[in-house]
Amino acid sequence: MSVTAAQGFTAAGIAAGIKENGNPDLALVVNQGPRLAAAGVFTANRVKAAPVLWSQQVVKAGQVSAVVLNSGGANACTGPEGFQDTHATAEKAAEVLGHSAGEIAIASTGLIGVRLPMDKLLPGLEKAAAGLSAHGGEKAAIAIKTTDTVHKTAVVQGEGWTVGGMAKGAGMLAPGLATMLVVLTTDADIDTPGLDTALRAATRTTFDRVDSDGCMSTNDTVLLLASGASGITPAADVFAEAVRSVCDDLARQLIGDAEGASKDIRIEVINAATEDDAVEVGRSIARNNLLKCALHGEDPNWGRVLSAIGTTSAAFDPDKLNVAINGVWVCRNGSVGDDRDLVDMRYREVRITADLAEGSETAVIWANDLTADYVHENSAYSS
């Protein structure tokens, strides 16, 4: 049930006419309380969409009663008029729900540089509000899809409390605190600082380590809302692990649905001097287009892994680097290792291990291959 798995939440997903194809395009998630605590993380892109700027201010106040999400238009790079459209959306949602506009978060996804059809979006909010249901999480998840082929949901059950979530994202996935649109909900009785701590810890090792195509969106938003409806306050570490688990599940689903991808690539950097070094190396490997093409062709071209490592500022000795692909150490001590023909590349998941031989820190980055389908989809996205 996604965002409605936790007590105290209702949701809806409808077709408001924002998308020309008539598919669902407007979602509404409402926190019925008694607590209205919230936390959020947003894109690090300096070019931020109007809904991001609005929601950052809403979340800063620490109280969110509802989230309006639309697909079919990003409302990014639309000037003051675009921000007014976001404000009008919050005002309309507040009107139909009987809440304050300052407690309504907004999230949008779609083509940049095009204003939203407000004559369809605003009436759509009335329809969405009328369709709110404690079982509406799946419909909401479907309504936020753009190039996604499937909707993405996840749930973790605690002892008498729940964390649920939904996500959208299939392209423009690169780290910057968050890498798509995500709404997480919980009925645990957690205050805003507790939510913020858990969310930032979770995104740091999940969404922030998904790197599909190296392109950072203008609209990335991850929100965590708490209703407190269970009346239970779990231990901070237990709650944080539940949030991390839901985020990890959703992050893997994002990679699995990446535009045109045929391979999911798990890049583990081990024995790094620092965690930052491990992340930098993993990210460099993930963004090496020559390697991504090779893996699409099921070619275990480990030289491209070494060349990617060499572009970083991480501590390492080139003559001590080791690389394994799907468990075969094809590179040892910076040179030829085991026979590359032993690498089985038939399956969707590819595992790369890069051993820097400099310390004990590790990090995992998830990426995908580069395919002709990805190029085709993104060459025709706006036409």
Side-chain angles (χ1 to χ4, degrees):
M1 289 191 296
S2 178
V3 291
T4 51
Q7 300 175 65
F9 291 93
T10 58
I14 66 154
I18 301 169
K19 292 177 179 175
E20 293 183 358
N21 60 14
N23 287 340
D25 49 24
L26 185 63
L28 184 59
V29 179
V30 177
N31 184 354
Q32 298 179 315
R35 186 184 282 278
L36 300 177
V41 290
F42 302 89
T43 182
N45 198 320
R46 291 171 62 192
V47 178
K48 291 177 171 60
V52 169
L53 296 173
W54 172 271
S55 295
Q56 283 180 316
Q57 294 304 310
V58 170
V59 168
K60 189 176 293 185
Q63 189 160 293
V64 174
S65 59
V67 185
V68 178
L69 308 98
N70 76 270
S71 55
N75 195 9
C77 307
T78 48
E81 295 83 3
F83 190 82
Q84 285 299 318
D85 289 343
T86 293
H87 190 178
T89 300
E91 291 281 3
K92 183 64 176 181
E95 175 191 326
V96 299
L97 296 173
H99 296 164
S100 165
E103 296 177 357
I104 311 292
I106 309 294
S108 300
T109 180
L111 187 63
I112 294 171
V114 177
R115 288 188 59 191
L116 294 172
M118 300 302 289
D119 60 328
K120 297 176 180 177
L121 193 157
L122 297 182
L125 282 171
E126 296 182 358
K127 180 180 176 182
L132 285 168
S133 165
H135 304 286
E138 185 173 15
K139 289 183 178 180
I142 292 170
I144 61 175
K145 292 167 53 182
T146 52
T147 57
D148 307 65
T149 63
V150 295
H151 60 286
K152 304 164 180 70
T153 65
V155 175
V156 168
Q157 299 286 348
E159 294 187 5
W161 53 275
T162 300
V163 177
M166 67 178 185
K168 68 76 52 186
M172 228 181 192
L173 296 178
L177 290 182
T179 50
M180 67 256 102
L181 300 189
V182 178
V183 177
L184 308 170
T185 58
T186 183
D187 50 19
D189 192 12
I190 307 291
D191 61 15
T192 293
L195 295 178
D196 187 71
T197 297
L199 182 61
R200 292 185 183 278
T203 56
R204 188 180 71 83
T205 59
T206 58
F207 297 136
D208 199 34
R209 295 186 184 177
V210 168
D211 205 319
S212 172
D213 52 17
C215 299
M216 186 190 298
S217 172
T218 55
N219 290 59
D220 302 336
T221 299
V222 176
L223 299 171
L224 173 57
L225 315 180
S227 69
S230 71
I232 298 172
T233 302
D237 60 336
V238 174
F239 177 71
E241 174 54 28
V243 174
R244 189 210 63 79
S245 181
V246 171
C247 291
D248 186 57
D249 189 336
L250 292 172
R252 284 298 320 278
Q253 291 182 55
L254 293 172
I255 279 294
D257 193 32
E259 291 171 345
S262 66
K263 301 288 187 184
D264 301 338
I265 307 168
R266 183 183 188 273
I267 302 162
E268 183 176 20
V269 181
I270 63 174
N271 298 324
T274 67
E275 184 181 18
D276 287 345
D277 276 5
V279 171
E280 182 185 0
V281 168
R283 189 120 42 233
S284 180
I285 295 170
R287 294 181 177 180
N288 187 294
N289 284 337
L290 288 175
L291 175 65
K292 289 157 74 77
C293 290
L295 296 179
H296 175 59
E298 300 187 346
D299 175 9
N301 193 330
W302 58 267
R304 293 175 180 177
V305 178
L306 256 63
S307 67
I309 297 172
T311 66
T312 71
S313 61
F316 66 85
D317 180 340
D319 294 328
K320 294 182 179 179
L321 295 174
N322 305 296
V323 175
I325 300 179
N326 286 350
V328 179
W329 289 94
V330 287
C331 170
R332 295 182 184 274
N333 296 317
S335 186
V336 179
D338 298 341
D339 187 349
R340 54 180 281 163
D341 289 341
L342 296 174
V343 181
D344 188 347
M345 300 283 287
R346 292 174 296 170
Y347 303 103
R348 182 170 180 108
E349 185 170 305
V350 177
R351 291 179 170 246
I352 296 174
T353 306
D355 178 5
L356 302 188
E358 281 289 340
S360 59
E361 295 299 319
T362 185
V364 174
I365 303 289
W366 281 93
N368 52 267
D369 57 344
L370 184 59
T371 69
D373 287 342
Y374 174 85
V375 175
H376 174 74
E377 185 161 335
N378 285 282
S379 67
Y381 184 69
S382 65
S383 58

